[in-house]
Amino acid sequence: MEQARVPYQKILFVCINRRQPQELCCSQRESESIAEALKARVKALGLSRHVRVSKSGCQDLCAKGPNVMVFPDYLWYHAVSLEDVERIIQEVTQGLVPSATS
Ligand code: FES
């Protein structure tokens, strides 16, 4: 086993869990597209070395999804849509400085 420091200042966990067709889940409500849109914005802003967007399993709030958890801010966005991506990025990346090579 090895241990290393996490290089990211922010980590966004986007639930992409898929449940039975008759059960509510984040993946039924565009969460994969939301994760990809968040990643694309982080990259476009040159913040890939500072902000990680990770797909996650169920966050146990399926009815409120799609859900995005943000650490170390302890923020939890619910009912996220593609239209919310820019606002989340603006709130989460406030104050972060882009890298020269990102
Ligand atoms: S399926 Fe996303 S919180 Fe459960």
Side-chain angles (χ1 to χ4, degrees), residues 15-19 26 56-62 67 69:
C15 174
I16 58 155
N17 190 49
R18 182 174 305 277
R19 302 176 74 201
C26 293
S56 86
C58 183
Q59 298 177 4
D60 281 337
L61 277 178
C62 314
N67 295 300
M69 264 188 206

Side-chain angles (χ1 to χ4, degrees), residues 50-102:
H50 305 293
V51 179
R52 176 82 183 174
V53 178
S54 276
K55 295 174 183 174
S56 86
C58 183
Q59 298 177 4
D60 281 337
L61 277 178
C62 314
K64 288 186 170 237
N67 295 300
V68 179
M69 264 188 206
V70 182
F71 289 96
D73 299 355
Y74 295 93
L75 287 173
W76 208 351
Y77 294 96
H78 306 299
V80 175
S81 70
L82 281 168
E83 289 72 38
D84 299 319
V85 165
E86 191 57 36
R87 180 181 153 200
I88 292 171
I89 289 293
Q90 292 304 319
E91 290 179 1
V92 167
T93 65
Q94 207 167 29
L96 298 182
V97 179
S99 300
T101 55
S102 187

